[in-house]
């Protein structure tokens, strides 16, 4: 009886460690935050932008594939020829589930993390931010100097971590109440310890 209990404890402990390791592997890494910081600072900072408002969970972009992942990334690679297949594969592996983001970004601009629920809440019960004039007025009242809402995917790396692939979407309000948004894949190259944007292709525009 004691041996059976001991065996169960060992198995349970082993399984717990496996789940713990998987959990750690799925967390957003410091290397990913370095890529996020670089792409936002280099591609989304504007003269009048004094605040980044960032969704507090990574965006799962697999919903955009429409059951044709290979074709989808052929289009991306066509417009960013230097993008490695290894970086694409790593991106797709990580893009299976959303992960929380925390305050590990590093750039000069101030930033705020907000949930999708809070963002949609600016439009009021049953409202949609895509068509809510009042919603965008409330958003910019609470976040003056913001570009809009920025959402980030997980980051895919090549084995040597010299290439990084990330998807960035931004949604901005318009005085008419209509919103404008775009989703883009961005390639960054690491050189001398710093990430630099080297390729950019928009795949969703509204």
């Amino acid at each position: 009886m004691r041996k059976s209990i001991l065996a169960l404890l060992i198995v349970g402990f082993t399984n717990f460690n496996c789940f713990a390791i998987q959990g750690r592997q799925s967390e957003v890494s410091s290397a990913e935050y370095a890529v996020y910081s670089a792409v936002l600072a280099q591609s989304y900072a504007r003269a009048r932008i004094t605040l980044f408002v960032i969704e507090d969970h990574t965006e799962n972009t697999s919903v955009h594939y429409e059951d044709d992942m290979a074709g989808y990334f052929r289009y991306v690679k066509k417009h960013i020829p230097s993008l490695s297949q290894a970086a694409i594969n790593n991106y797709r592996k990580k893009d299976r589930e959303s992960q929380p983001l925390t305050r590990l970004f590093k750039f000069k601009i101030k930033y705020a993390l907000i949930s999708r629920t809070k963002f949609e809440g600016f439009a009021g019960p049953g409202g949609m931010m895509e068509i809510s004039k009042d919603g965008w007025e409330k958003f910019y009242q609470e976040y003056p100097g913001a570009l809009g809402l920025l959402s980030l995917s997980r980051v895919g790396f090549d084995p040597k971590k010299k290439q990084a692939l990330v998807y960035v979407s931004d949604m901005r309000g318009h005085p008419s109440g209509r919103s404008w948004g775009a989703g883009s894949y961005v390639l960054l190259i690491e050189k001398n310890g710093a990430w630099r944007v080297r390729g950019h292709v928009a795949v969703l525009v509204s």
Side-chain angles (χ1 to χ4, degrees):
M1 182 67 177
R2 290 181 178 178
K3 290 183 178 180
S4 298
I5 293 173
L6 180 60
L8 287 171
L9 288 172
I10 292 172
V11 170
F13 182 74
T14 302
N15 289 338
F16 174 81
N17 281 342
C18 289
F19 289 131
I21 291 170
Q22 290 173 358
R24 287 197 299 270
Q25 289 175 339
S26 67
E27 291 175 356
V28 178
S29 67
S30 59
E32 290 177 85
Y33 280 101
V35 172
Y36 295 147
S37 300
V39 71
L40 292 184
Q42 294 172 38
S43 297
Y44 292 87
R46 303 287 189 274
R48 297 181 180 179
I49 301 304
T50 58
L51 176 70
F52 285 145
V53 179
I54 304 168
E55 187 172 356
D56 66 359
H57 278 69
T58 60
E59 183 174 356
N60 184 343
T61 63
S62 61
V63 297
H64 306 316
Y65 298 158
E66 298 180 353
D67 299 323
D68 185 18
M69 289 185 286
Y72 191 84
F73 281 102
R74 276 197 301 270
Y75 175 84
V76 174
K77 197 162 175 26
K78 177 182 178 181
H79 290 81
I80 314 177
S82 59
L83 174 62
S84 72
Q85 187 61 45
I88 292 174
N89 293 343
N90 185 248
Y91 174 93
R92 288 175 56 181
K93 181 179 179 181
K94 291 179 178 177
D95 190 44
R96 295 171 183 171
E97 60 181 16
S98 178
Q99 292 294 327
L101 294 172
T102 188
R103 296 190 62 83
L104 293 175
F105 299 86
K106 293 182 180 180
F107 30 58
K108 295 180 180 179
I109 294 178
K110 294 180 180 179
Y111 68 94
L113 298 174
I114 70 169
S115 68
R116 174 62 64 162
T117 300
K118 178 175 180 178
F119 173 71
E120 296 294 347
F122 286 112
M128 297 176 62
M129 285 297 284
E130 288 83 352
I131 55 174
S132 177
K133 180 179 180 179
D134 290 342
W136 281 109
E137 287 180 351
K138 292 176 182 177
F139 175 86
Y140 287 117
Q141 284 173 2
E142 182 160 343
Y143 300 106
L147 177 69
L149 178 69
L150 293 161
S151 300
L152 301 161
S153 72
R154 296 295 302 275
V155 180
F157 295 100
D158 68 339
K160 294 184 179 180
K161 287 195 173 180
K162 292 296 183 180
Q163 283 195 0
L165 177 66
V166 62
Y167 179 88
V168 184
S169 69
D170 68 284
M171 185 185 296
R172 312 175 194 180
H174 189 272
S176 66
R178 302 290 299 183
S179 65
W180 178 92
S184 303
Y185 280 97
V186 185
L187 170 67
L188 296 93
I189 303 297
E190 189 277 332
K191 187 174 182 180
N192 298 325
W195 289 103
R196 301 294 180 190
V197 172
R198 286 294 180 267
H200 187 284
V201 54
V203 292
L204 290 174
V205 178
S206 62

